[in-house]
Amino acid sequence: MLMAAATFNSLTLPFSKPEFPFSSIARTHVPTPSLNLSWFRPNGFLLCSLSSDHPTTATGGQLHHKANTNSTDPQPQIHSCTWNWKGYSIRYQCSGSSGPALVLVHGFGANSNHWRKNIPVLAKSHRVYAIDLIGYGYSDKPNPREVGDSFYTFETWGSQLNDFCSSVVKDKAFFICNSIGGLVGLQAAVAKPEICRGLFLLNISLRMLHVKKQPWFGRPFIASFQSLLRNTAVGKLFFRSVATPESVRSILCQCYHDTSQVTEELVQIILHPGLETGAVDVFLEFICYSGGPLPEELLPQVECPVLIAWGDKDPWESIELGRAYGDFDTVEDFVVLPNVGHCPQDEAPHLVNPLVESFVSRHSKSPANASTTI
């Protein structure tokens, strides 16, 4: 869950910096409009209808408040469904009946409900899908000791995402991703470039605990600590200590700059699926995962357009390190989201939703990138 990120980011180890250039790049700053945000309450597996009282539009690189002149307009309904993937039950949400397809991919310890403020807005002009990655949310959580050490990897999740597009979306799609979801989107786009139309990455994980980024003298300590958590009772004791409403709220208040957005609803969205059978084993498996791809290894291989947006108050994934990703030729822009933390889609949907709409609109007009059934 999100708890692991807070725990491991509190370690005072002198991690090495990523080995790629930090030259100056063009940046886009998004001004913060004065908006009152409506809160959306998900209803789990029920059919629900969500609405936004304060939609926004993006024009000329600026965000503008668009008045809601007809409050009686019907809002897109959100359906919570299940999909059988390789014998596992995968939960996803969908909304919208027309427009380009978007697939929203959550971060570590989260689930598709973390996009509750984005789905109803984006679904007005897009076909929106939000998936629970296997091992998270309300998808199945097979025991890693039974499925093997190589199951909970970005290769697995990337394959799941591509298969989801082929089997459920039945179309090419834009991937909208937060945190480790960004690695999933990148992996999927590299593995099957014919499926992904574009990548919108929000505060992508830098993976500072990856073995390639650990200082040589810190590797034995990190490996021993991970083994202790994974192979002894210490791990489950640790999980129980953080899988409480009080701990989850405290951790969310670390990664959200505007702590007023950390509501009881949000705490339960993160906590409740983490209490399901199997969640602790997936949690411990992932925090011991120090291999796999890095963003800087995948970005050069991507064939579709990429936009990166970053909350500049993220305490876990430093924007000073993240800016370097804007130097890659595949990245068309690096957008700074002022006074926003690690989960911009939830903390500042009034900034994120218009950026997504603008990015998708821009790259939906190209004939070469037109929608086709896959």
Side-chain angles (χ1 to χ4, degrees):
M1 296 173 68
L2 286 168
M3 291 86 81
T7 302
F8 277 97
N9 278 278
S10 66
L11 292 175
T12 55
L13 291 176
F15 295 120
S16 57
K17 293 183 179 180
E19 296 179 357
F20 45 89
F22 284 78
S23 57
S24 298
I25 61 173
R27 304 179 185 89
T28 302
H29 289 265
V30 180
T32 306
S34 298
L35 296 176
N36 294 318
L37 300 181
S38 297
W39 283 91
F40 307 108
R41 182 170 297 278
N43 290 321
F45 286 87
L46 301 178
L47 182 69
C48 56
S49 178
L50 308 181
S51 63
S52 170
D53 293 333
H54 299 280
T56 58
T57 57
T59 307
Q62 302 292 317
L63 293 184
H64 304 281
H65 180 205
K66 180 180 178 182
N68 188 353
T69 57
N70 187 355
S71 60
T72 62
D73 285 346
Q75 301 300 318
Q77 290 184 320
I78 299 177
H79 303 266
S80 192
C81 313
T82 57
W83 164 55
N84 186 301
W85 181 63
K86 299 183 177 182
Y88 300 112
S89 177
I90 303 299
R91 183 254 193 148
Y92 70 93
Q93 300 182 62
C94 60
S95 185
S97 59
S98 63
L102 314 182
V103 180
L104 316 183
V105 187
H106 62 80
F108 177 51
N111 59 80
S112 58
N113 287 342
H114 211 191
W115 300 95
R116 70 201 188 284
K117 302 177 191 175
N118 316 101
I119 297 173
V121 177
L122 297 174
K124 293 177 182 179
S125 54
H126 307 84
R127 290 170 293 137
V128 181
Y129 300 82
I131 190 171
D132 286 5
L133 297 173
I134 191 165
Y136 295 105
Y138 297 97
S139 290
D140 279 351
K141 301 169 181 64
N143 191 312
R145 298 184 185 278
E146 297 175 1
V147 295
D149 293 343
S150 60
F151 187 78
Y152 289 108
T153 65
F154 292 113
E155 288 80 6
T156 296
W157 291 314
S159 176
Q160 178 191 358
L161 184 55
N162 282 331
D163 289 348
F164 180 76
C165 290
S166 298
S167 300
V168 178
V169 181
K170 299 184 185 301
D171 199 356
K172 299 170 67 174
F174 290 88
F175 298 158
I176 317 300
C177 314
N178 175 229
S179 190
I180 68 158
L183 272 298
V184 175
L186 283 170
Q187 180 67 48
V190 168
K192 291 191 175 181
E194 68 275 13
I195 290 179
C196 185
R197 302 181 69 180
L199 280 161
F200 188 101
L201 307 177
L202 289 159
N203 290 61
I204 187 171
S205 172
L206 297 166
R207 301 210 65 202
M208 295 306 293
L209 279 175
H210 193 284
V211 66
K212 294 181 180 178
K213 294 185 177 181
Q214 298 172 15
W216 65 267
F217 50 85
R219 290 173 188 170
F221 167 76
I222 295 173
S224 297
F225 184 56
Q226 290 173 327
S227 178
L228 180 70
L229 290 177
R230 186 183 181 197
N231 299 315
T232 73
V234 172
K236 292 188 177 181
L237 288 172
F238 166 67
F239 181 83
R240 284 199 291 269
S241 73
V242 295
T244 66
E246 296 76 19
S247 293
V248 171
R249 176 178 290 278
S250 175
I251 292 164
L252 287 168
C253 285
Q254 291 179 33
C255 68
Y256 278 59
H257 180 66
D258 179 3
T259 57
S260 70
Q261 303 301 316
V262 180
T263 63
E264 182 59 28
E265 176 190 19
L266 176 61
V267 170
Q268 291 303 317
I269 283 174
I270 300 299
L271 176 63
H272 191 266
L275 300 178
E276 290 199 338
T277 301
V280 59
D281 298 303
V282 178
F283 169 83
L284 295 173
E285 184 72 11
F286 186 79
I287 62 177
C288 296
Y289 177 40
S290 296
L294 291 166
E296 53 267 33
E297 295 171 342
L298 294 174
L299 277 169
Q301 303 178 57
V302 173
E303 298 179 13
C304 64
V306 180
L307 187 145
I308 298 177
W310 212 286
D312 67 352
K313 302 300 183 183
D314 187 341
W316 297 346
E317 310 291 354
S318 167
I319 191 171
E320 296 309 317
L321 298 180
R323 290 183 198 274
Y325 293 141
D327 285 339
F328 286 94
D329 292 338
T330 50
V331 178
E332 66 177 35
D333 201 0
F334 185 96
V335 181
V336 178
L337 302 174
N339 299 314
V340 180
H342 183 64
C343 307
Q345 80 278 9
D346 188 61
E347 184 179 348
H350 58 291
L351 300 182
V352 171
N353 290 335
L355 285 173
V356 172
E357 291 171 335
S358 176
F359 174 74
V360 172
S361 175
R362 191 161 60 250
H363 294 290
S364 296
K365 297 175 182 178
S366 170
N369 207 19
S371 176
T372 58
T373 301
I374 57 174

